[in-house]
Amino acid sequence: PKPKTKAMAKKNLEARNPSPPLPSPSPAELATTSGMSATAAKLIQMALAESNNCDIPAASTSPPPASIGDTHHHGRPLTAAEKKKSSRDRNREHARCTRLRKKAYVNKLKELVDGLHAERSEDARMRRVAVQHLAEIQELRRKVVHTFLGYHAGYEKDARRWETILERDFWLKQPVTPYRSFRRCEI
């Protein structure tokens, strides 16, 4: 049978030959255009890909919808009521599949958000540890310099005390300054 309108003909053609999904951008392209990390972009792309799979459980109670091309049922043409019922069943199944896809997509996004929160928390913790370690090193250096200047100003002669803060091959060469005079051998 020939479709009555162009819209019906187009609908029949789409049902028989579904169009392939549009190509999605790669994680690197998505990351560069949106300003997010490549890991986040990849996770979002995976969530989108998985949400397009409509997994309908096998224990579905609704009967499978009739295909659009069915014009006869048990050897006779479909009545208007049967066509309406078939259309409602298809719509119901499509809506159910859409809800399942949306639910899967939202769950994947929630997992993504949780993962990114954990990653951000770990990064913040590592930064805090690094800053604390740097502060400890600076404090230790400050103490060594303070001790060194104290020993130097007090003309400390005990080598064991000097060895606690300096290595054996340490050499101190002070610059010539206008406010201090040096012997020729010290320059």
Side-chain angles (χ1 to χ4, degrees):
K2 192 171 185 181
K4 294 181 182 178
T5 65
K6 287 184 181 180
M8 288 176 66
K10 185 178 178 184
K11 193 174 182 181
N12 285 340
L13 182 63
E14 287 175 356
R16 289 186 199 129
N17 301 323
S19 61
L22 293 174
S24 57
S26 71
E29 292 171 347
L30 189 62
T32 56
T33 58
S34 65
M36 67 177 77
S37 71
T39 306
K42 188 174 182 181
L43 290 172
I44 288 174
Q45 189 175 27
M46 288 174 28
L48 283 171
E50 288 185 16
S51 70
N52 287 332
N53 299 333
C54 180
D55 297 329
I56 301 173
S60 177
T61 57
S62 61
S67 67
I68 295 175
D70 287 349
T71 56
H72 292 83
H73 184 67
H74 299 292
R76 62 177 172 76
L78 292 175
T79 63
E82 289 173 334
K83 286 181 183 178
K84 275 187 175 179
K85 183 181 182 317
S86 173
S87 178
R88 278 195 309 268
D89 289 343
R90 276 194 312 274
N91 288 344
R92 187 178 299 117
E93 223 24 63
H94 177 70
R96 181 173 174 271
C97 189
T98 301
R99 285 191 300 273
L100 288 173
R101 271 198 317 268
K102 182 179 179 182
K103 186 176 182 180
Y105 176 68
V106 168
N107 287 339
K108 278 291 178 186
L109 288 180
K110 284 180 181 177
E111 290 174 12
L112 171 68
V113 167
D114 292 342
L116 291 175
H117 278 302
E119 184 179 330
R120 186 174 64 182
S121 298
E122 181 63 20
D123 288 346
R125 186 192 67 77
M126 289 176 68
R127 273 194 306 274
R128 279 193 310 272
V129 167
V131 166
Q132 181 181 4
H133 183 66
L134 182 63
E136 290 171 357
I137 289 174
Q138 287 176 344
E139 180 61 28
L140 180 62
R141 286 178 179 167
R142 201 174 289 118
K143 285 181 181 178
V144 167
V145 168
H146 186 266
T147 305
F148 172 82
L149 293 175
Y151 288 171
H152 184 66
Y155 300 104
E156 181 63 50
K157 302 284 186 207
D158 188 4
R160 288 177 296 159
R161 293 183 84 182
W162 282 103
E163 286 177 359
T164 60
I165 60 169
L166 300 175
E167 296 176 356
R168 286 196 175 272
D169 58 349
F170 176 79
W171 180 262
L172 175 65
K173 186 172 184 180
Q174 295 180 327
V176 175
T177 57
Y179 57 87
R180 185 173 175 195
S181 62
F182 294 94
R183 295 190 308 256
R184 192 84 161 135
C185 65
E186 291 180 355
I187 298 177

